[in-house]
């Protein structure tokens, strides 16, 4: 029987074969171009219902393959499956209440995807109001759709189409931005294919909707091609792939090095092929374990390096993400210093300039940090520097914040002063709040960086603004007791070294004792200012209690460079190597910068005596003439390196080696230096006092080593003779 049936959301009618004896009765919802009850008495639109199963499948597959992802993506994939269930109910019955089960989940699905697209950074871009606003948007749309009822399909159509189409435009605008950031050519090609499928599916939807009479009366007796069913298939693929793209982008912003993997293919897993022979693409993170890695996760030392576990929550030995091998006892005894901040704020440049002797101009070619870089600094005080990528959200649930912040000594947050720093301040606030809850003993340091291009007044105003804003926000969060230190820094001058000096000093428990020893040395030797320098990094780990003059610190720091440069030319190569941070513990070598070989030396001095690099060298420098006059080498029994620089203004810079890591640099008047014998004796007493101060530390380390050796011997004994 041919019955006039209204087109969906339209006043036009067309004559289609329609069976009034269908199980669900006359349609009360919008009707599509497929003949009703043409295949089954129980299903109104058979092909439209059957094709909706594809949505359920891609939703379930998405949740299954990305179960370790954030809840936002699980909700988005799950909502696609719910839309598929509603679509089956709608097209199978053509009843208005079940139509709402199709359209309402579509609205919430696109809202969930929109949230994932917009909040895709490693930090929260907007406050709680954003998800609340999205929820209210969906709720308002739901209320209008439900109350429109089957008697006002045009109103329901307009509300649904306008609200849904608006959110689609929002999502697509962000998808275009994400696509523009993709670097992998194969992945870009995959998204092009996805876009073609989505556009073709949307074209099918419009043809089925607007040209139903043509589709029902094709020439040569061809039947209806069921383009709306093809729309369902294309929409399923498009929804899955778009969500996959957002997953991939989010993982990149979190610094997790994602990769695209094809699942359930014909090629065995052990094959070395890189071609995508799988059927279903998915995003794979480095936090996932391969089957081979899971078999060896309890014996990481016995598996090959490429098969060892890679996990952001695992801080085990030989971790490829966090750095090289580090024994548990060494890890516990080494202070940890963390560099954090937004991308391109200058963290990596600071690390390379301070600890790796890279020139500031060379840092212009450094790539942005993509993963956590862990640097073990071997010096007087062994510590670790962890450089965090600016895009990484280390407060994500998949990260072990206790393992990250539990052993941190100092957290240095770098802010680019030449950029809009409001976003950086929001990140600083969230970082301090979360880290303080995990470890209240962390010292928080804020480097207001790249101030070399700012005027003095602007520097002061910027520091005052950042300090006041941060303090007020912490007070509002109930963290008035958290103390932050603020420094104006630049890699183009000594400010970065001076700032790091103050940071490292806070990690030294013996600092008050060292300052007291330096005060005694200065008072009894007539020294105006004394610095105890780490030779490798030019960081001073202690100074006397008199105020630090920036000019004095700079000239002492430059003296370190001069001495090391001369040493690398005329002295032993070991000093040059040490200055580059390649120090290795050599148990058989003496504790000074130079060492003798049995019966051999690299050179002889002008008097024919065997010499050491810079040992007993006296250098007289005139700041006016800018020349170096090498004085005769003095012979004596003291085999420790020292140097003297006499400046034109009557100031003498006196450098004395303390051990292979430390140098004492004193500023004093020329007339005071005439009593060099007294000064040398006092320096010798100072060194002996330092040895006594750190004797306890060495004894504790020796005790730990002995206990470790005893434990190892016991384990070997048990393994050899058993327990029986």
């Amino acid at each position: 029987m041919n019955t006039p049936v209204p087109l969906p959301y339209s006043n036009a009618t067309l004559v289609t074969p329609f069976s009034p004896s269908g199980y669900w009765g006359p349609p009360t919802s919008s009707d599509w171009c497929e003949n009703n009850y043409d295949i089954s008495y129980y299903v109104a639109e058979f092909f439209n219902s059957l094709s909706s199963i594809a949505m359920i499948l891609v939703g379930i597959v998405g949740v299954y393959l990305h179960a370790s992802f954030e809840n936002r993506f699980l909700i988005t994939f799950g909502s696609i499956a719910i839309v598929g269930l509603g679509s089956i109910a709608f097209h199978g019955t053509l009843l208005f209440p079940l139509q709402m089960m199709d359209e309402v989940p579509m609205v919430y699905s696109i809202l969930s995807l929109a949230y994932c697209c917009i909040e895709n950074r490693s930090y929260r871009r907007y406050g709680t109001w954003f998800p609340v606003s999205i929820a209210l948007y969906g709720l308002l749309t739901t209320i209008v759709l439900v109350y429109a009822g089957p008697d006002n399909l045009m109103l329901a159509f307009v509300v649904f189409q306008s609200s849904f189409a608006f959110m689609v435009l929002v999502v697509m605008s962000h998808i275009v931005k994400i696509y523009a950031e993709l670097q992998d050519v194969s992945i870009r090609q995959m998204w092009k294919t996805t876009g073609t499928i989505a556009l073709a599916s949307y074209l099918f939807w419009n043809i089925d909707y607007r040209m139903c009479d043509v589709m029902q009366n094709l020439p040569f007796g061809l039947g209806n091609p069921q383009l709306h069913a093809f729309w369902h298939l294309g929409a399923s693929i498009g929804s899955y792939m778009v969500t996959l793209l957002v997953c991939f982008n989010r993982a990149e912003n979190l610094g997790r090095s994602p990769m695209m993997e094809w699942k359930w293919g014909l090629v065995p897993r052990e094959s070395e092929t890189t071609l995508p022979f799988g059927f279903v693409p998915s995003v794979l993170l480095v936090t996932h374990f391969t089957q081979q890695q899971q078999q060896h996760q309890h014996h990481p030392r016995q598996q090959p390096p490429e098969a060892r576990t890679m996990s952001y929550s695992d801080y085990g030995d030989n971790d490829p993400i966090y750095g090289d091998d580090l024994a548990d006892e060494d890890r516990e005894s080494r202070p940890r210093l963390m560099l954090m901040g937004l991308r391109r704020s200058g963290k990596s440049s600071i690390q390379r300039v301070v600890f790796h002797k890279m020139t500031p101009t060379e840092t212009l070619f450094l790539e942005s940090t993509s993963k956590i870089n862990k640097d073990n600094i071997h010096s007087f005080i062994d510590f670790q520097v962890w450089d965090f990528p600016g895009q990484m959200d280390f407060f994500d649930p998949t990260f072990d914040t206790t393992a990250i912040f539990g052993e941190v000594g100092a957290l240095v947050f770098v802010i680019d002063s030449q950029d809009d720093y409001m976003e950086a301040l929001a990140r600083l606030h969230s970082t301090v709040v979360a880290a303080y809850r995990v470890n209240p003993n962390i010292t928080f340091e804020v480097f207001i960086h790249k101030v070399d291009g700012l005027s003095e007044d602007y520097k002061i105003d910027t520091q005052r603004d950042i300090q006041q804003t941060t303090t007020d926000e912490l007070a509002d969060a109930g963290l008035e007791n958290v103390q932050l230190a603020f420094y104006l820094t630049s890699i183009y001058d000594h400010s970065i070294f001076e700032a790091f000096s103050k940071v490292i000093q806070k990690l030294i428990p013996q600092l008050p004792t060292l300052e007291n020893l330096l005060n005694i040395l200065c008072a009894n030797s007539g020294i105006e200012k004394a610095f105890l320098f780490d030779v490798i990094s030019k960081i001073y780990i202690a100074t006397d209690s008199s105020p630090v003059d920036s000019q004095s610190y700079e000239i002492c720091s430059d003296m370190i460079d001069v001495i090391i440069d001369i040493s690398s030319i005329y002295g032993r190569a070991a000093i040059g190597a040490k200055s580059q941070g390649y120090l290795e513990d050599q148990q058989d070598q003496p504790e000074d910068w130079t060492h003798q070989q049995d019966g051999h030396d690299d050179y002889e001095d002008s008097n024919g005596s065997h010499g050491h690099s810079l040992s007993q060298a006296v250098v007289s420098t005139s700041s006016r003439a800018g020349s170096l006059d090498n004085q005769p080498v003095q012979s004596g029994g003291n085999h420790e390196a020292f140097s003297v620089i006499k400046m034109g203004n009557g100031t003498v810079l006196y450098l004395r080696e303390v051990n292979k890591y430390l140098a004492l640099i004193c500023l004093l008047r020329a007339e005071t230096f005439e009593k060099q014998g007294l000064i040398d004796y006092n320096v010798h007493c100072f060194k002996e006092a330092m040895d006594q101060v750190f004797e306890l530390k060495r004894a504790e380390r020796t005790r730990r080593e002995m206990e470790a050796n005893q434990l190892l011997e016991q384990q070997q004994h048990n393994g050899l003779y058993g327990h029986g």
Side-chain angles (χ1 to χ4, degrees):
M1 175 179 179
N2 293 341
T3 306
V5 177
L7 283 173
Y9 311 116
S10 173
N11 294 326
T13 60
L14 64 101
V15 177
T16 60
F18 174 75
S19 173
S21 58
Y23 180 83
W24 302 102
T28 59
S29 65
S30 57
D31 198 351
W32 297 91
C33 196
E34 181 180 356
N35 295 332
N36 299 337
Y37 300 104
D38 194 29
I39 303 297
S40 171
Y41 174 77
Y42 297 98
V43 181
E45 295 178 346
F46 180 82
F47 292 105
N48 289 346
S49 299
L50 182 65
S51 58
S52 299
I53 298 177
M55 299 182 186
I56 302 176
L57 294 178
V58 299
I60 295 176
V61 168
V63 172
Y64 173 75
L65 295 180
H66 305 87
S68 61
F69 278 65
E70 298 166 283
N71 291 332
R72 63 181 71 180
F73 296 110
L74 301 183
I75 293 174
T76 303
F77 281 120
S79 64
I80 298 175
I82 295 176
V83 170
L85 290 173
S87 180
I88 293 176
F90 163 42
H91 289 288
T93 63
L94 293 180
L95 300 178
F96 180 80
L98 299 183
Q99 180 180 356
M100 294 299 98
M101 291 181 59
D102 175 36
E103 295 182 349
V104 171
M106 288 179 65
V107 173
Y108 287 99
S109 179
I110 194 66
L111 288 175
S112 177
L113 183 59
Y115 177 82
C116 295
C117 289
I118 298 173
E119 285 287 6
N120 65 332
R121 304 287 181 85
S122 59
Y123 55 91
R124 175 173 287 187
R125 300 178 63 185
Y126 306 103
T128 309
W129 64 268
F130 182 62
V132 172
S133 300
I134 288 181
L136 292 176
Y137 183 94
L139 180 62
L140 180 62
T141 304
T142 303
I143 293 175
V144 176
L145 289 176
V146 171
Y147 280 91
D151 297 331
N152 200 343
L153 292 180
M154 180 57 69
L155 175 62
F157 171 78
V158 172
V159 171
F160 169 73
Q161 291 291 337
S162 59
S163 60
F164 185 79
F166 173 74
M167 295 310 303
V168 168
L169 293 177
V170 172
V171 169
M172 294 309 299
S173 64
H174 285 81
I175 291 297
V176 171
K177 296 178 182 178
I178 295 174
Y179 174 81
E181 297 176 358
L182 288 175
Q183 302 297 328
D184 193 298
V185 177
S186 60
I187 297 179
R188 291 175 67 91
Q189 184 61 43
M190 185 168 61
W191 301 128
K192 290 180 181 178
T193 304
T194 301
T196 302
I197 294 175
L199 290 176
S201 303
Y202 182 67
L203 178 63
F204 292 162
W205 184 91
N206 277 277
I207 294 176
D208 183 85
Y209 170 65
R210 302 182 185 279
M211 303 175 61
C212 184
D213 53 342
V214 177
M215 295 297 101
Q216 291 283 7
N217 299 282
L218 292 176
F220 309 109
L222 297 176
N224 188 343
Q226 310 298 340
L227 295 182
H228 194 83
F230 283 100
W231 150 255
H232 284 168
L233 298 177
S236 302
I237 298 174
S239 300
Y240 179 83
M241 295 298 294
V242 168
T243 308
L244 209 63
L245 173 61
V246 180
C247 284
F248 189 90
N249 176 253
R250 171 71 172 175
E252 279 191 326
N253 291 340
L254 294 178
R256 299 183 183 179
S257 303
M259 59 178 294
M260 198 64 63
E261 184 180 57
W262 292 79
K263 296 287 189 179
W264 304 319
L266 300 177
V267 179
R269 177 173 292 277
E270 59 270 14
S271 174
E272 296 180 356
T273 181
T274 58
L275 298 178
F277 282 102
F279 293 108
V280 180
S282 66
V283 178
L284 180 67
L285 303 180
V286 294
T287 51
H288 288 183
F289 293 86
T290 64
Q291 183 178 3
Q292 183 180 12
Q293 290 169 344
Q294 290 176 346
Q295 293 174 354
H296 297 278
Q297 61 181 338
H298 299 297
H299 305 282
R301 295 262 182 209
Q302 300 176 5
Q303 52 182 311
E306 64 273 8
R308 288 176 183 164
T309 300
M310 303 176 67
S311 173
Y312 277 88
S313 59
D314 181 18
Y315 296 83
D317 292 341
N318 205 10
D319 192 334
I321 299 176
Y322 292 103
D324 56 3
D325 292 7
L326 186 63
D328 293 336
E329 60 271 19
D330 290 337
R331 182 186 297 112
E332 293 176 358
S333 61
R334 292 186 181 186
R336 184 183 303 169
L337 189 151
M338 311 191 83
L339 282 174
M340 296 184 176
L342 299 184
R343 176 180 286 184
R344 312 305 301 180
S345 60
K347 306 182 300 299
S348 300
S349 300
I350 291 174
Q351 181 185 6
R352 299 298 179 86
V353 169
V354 175
F355 299 110
H356 295 278
K357 302 300 180 182
M358 181 178 286
T359 61
T361 53
E362 290 176 328
T363 62
L364 299 175
F365 305 99
L366 291 177
E367 297 181 357
S368 180
T369 304
S370 59
K371 65 177 182 180
I372 298 176
N373 292 327
K374 187 175 68 174
D375 194 7
N376 293 323
I377 307 301
H378 302 282
S379 183
F380 174 70
I381 297 179
D382 288 351
F383 60 94
Q384 295 178 314
V385 179
W386 288 24
D387 183 8
F388 272 79
Q391 72 274 14
M392 177 174 291
D393 184 8
F394 37 80
F395 300 113
D396 185 84
T398 58
F399 287 86
D400 188 354
T401 55
T402 303
I404 295 177
F405 296 103
E407 302 174 4
V408 174
L411 192 154
V412 178
F413 195 93
V414 183
I415 298 178
D416 186 353
S417 62
Q418 299 185 13
D419 198 2
D420 184 9
Y421 49 77
M422 297 309 297
E423 182 177 326
L425 291 182
R427 182 69 175 275
L428 170 62
H429 175 75
S430 60
T431 301
V432 171
V433 170
Y436 183 79
R437 291 173 180 171
V438 175
N439 184 2
N441 297 322
I442 298 179
T443 60
F444 296 97
E445 319 288 344
V446 181
F447 285 6
I448 305 173
H449 197 48
K450 302 181 183 179
V451 297
D452 48 275
L454 307 179
S455 64
E456 291 297 327
D457 293 339
Y458 193 81
K459 290 180 186 178
I460 297 174
D461 292 340
T462 301
Q463 182 177 2
R464 184 186 299 111
D465 183 31
I466 292 176
Q467 186 169 349
Q468 186 65 40
T469 303
T470 305
T471 304
D472 293 344
E473 290 181 351
L474 290 177
D476 294 339
L479 299 178
E480 299 89 348
N481 297 328
V482 178
Q483 299 296 324
L484 276 73
F486 296 84
Y487 307 92
L488 296 172
T489 62
S490 171
I491 59 175
Y492 292 95
D493 54 35
H494 293 79
S495 59
I496 189 62
F497 295 95
E498 188 172 0
F500 255 109
S501 298
K502 297 178 180 178
V503 171
I504 297 300
Q505 289 172 18
K506 297 178 182 179
L507 302 180
I508 304 175
Q510 300 87 355
L511 178 63
T513 305
L514 294 178
E515 291 181 348
N516 188 36
L517 292 176
L518 289 173
N519 287 333
I520 296 174
L521 174 64
C522 292
N524 291 277
S525 305
I527 298 174
E528 296 181 357
K529 189 66 181 175
F531 293 95
L532 192 59
F533 269 92
D534 179 278
V535 181
I536 302 172
S537 62
K538 296 192 302 182
I539 290 175
Y540 68 92
I541 66 169
T543 183
D544 59 277
S545 58
S546 62
V548 177
D549 180 24
S550 298
Q551 187 175 3
S552 299
Y553 168 73
E554 290 177 9
I555 195 170
C556 292
S557 179
D558 290 339
M559 185 181 185
I560 295 285
D561 287 334
V562 171
I563 299 304
I564 289 179
D565 290 342
I566 296 178
S567 301
S568 62
I569 297 174
Y570 299 104
R572 293 186 183 275
I575 293 182
K578 290 174 183 178
S579 68
Q580 298 300 322
Y582 301 127
L583 285 166
E584 296 180 357
D585 293 330
Q586 302 179 12
Q587 301 297 333
D588 298 332
Q589 303 298 343
E591 290 288 326
D592 58 9
W593 296 353
T594 62
H595 58 273
Q596 291 181 317
Q597 298 176 353
D598 295 337
H600 299 281
D601 288 300
D602 288 343
Y603 71 100
E604 293 185 355
D605 59 28
S606 59
N607 295 328
S609 61
H610 294 293
H612 304 282
S613 58
L614 287 184
S615 295
Q616 296 86 30
V618 181
V619 180
S620 176
T621 304
S622 172
S623 60
R624 296 178 181 176
S627 61
L628 290 173
D629 298 325
N630 293 329
Q631 301 297 329
V633 176
Q634 304 172 357
S635 61
N638 182 11
H639 298 300
E640 296 170 351
F642 73 89
S643 177
V644 179
I645 296 180
K646 298 179 180 179
M647 304 183 65
N649 60 359
T651 301
V652 175
L653 299 178
Y654 185 36
L655 181 147
R656 283 292 301 268
E657 173 190 348
V658 177
N659 55 41
K660 66 178 181 179
Y661 297 118
L662 297 180
L664 176 67
I665 301 183
C666 305
L667 286 84
L668 64 161
R669 304 300 300 172
E671 54 270 19
T672 305
F673 189 67
E674 294 176 358
K675 302 178 182 179
Q676 182 179 356
L678 174 63
I679 296 174
D680 290 343
Y681 176 78
N682 289 338
V683 171
H684 178 71
C685 295
F686 170 77
K687 292 175 56 178
E688 288 185 345
M690 277 195 61
D691 290 339
Q692 295 177 9
V693 169
F694 290 96
E695 182 64 31
L696 181 62
K697 179 181 179 181
R698 286 194 292 267
E700 178 65 19
R701 178 177 296 180
T702 303
R703 184 188 63 82
R704 290 202 311 267
E705 292 176 354
M706 293 179 60
E707 291 178 352
N709 292 333
Q710 292 176 358
L711 179 61
L712 180 60
E713 292 176 358
Q714 183 179 0
Q715 291 176 347
Q716 292 176 348
H717 181 272
N718 294 337
L720 180 62
Y721 296 103
H723 299 280

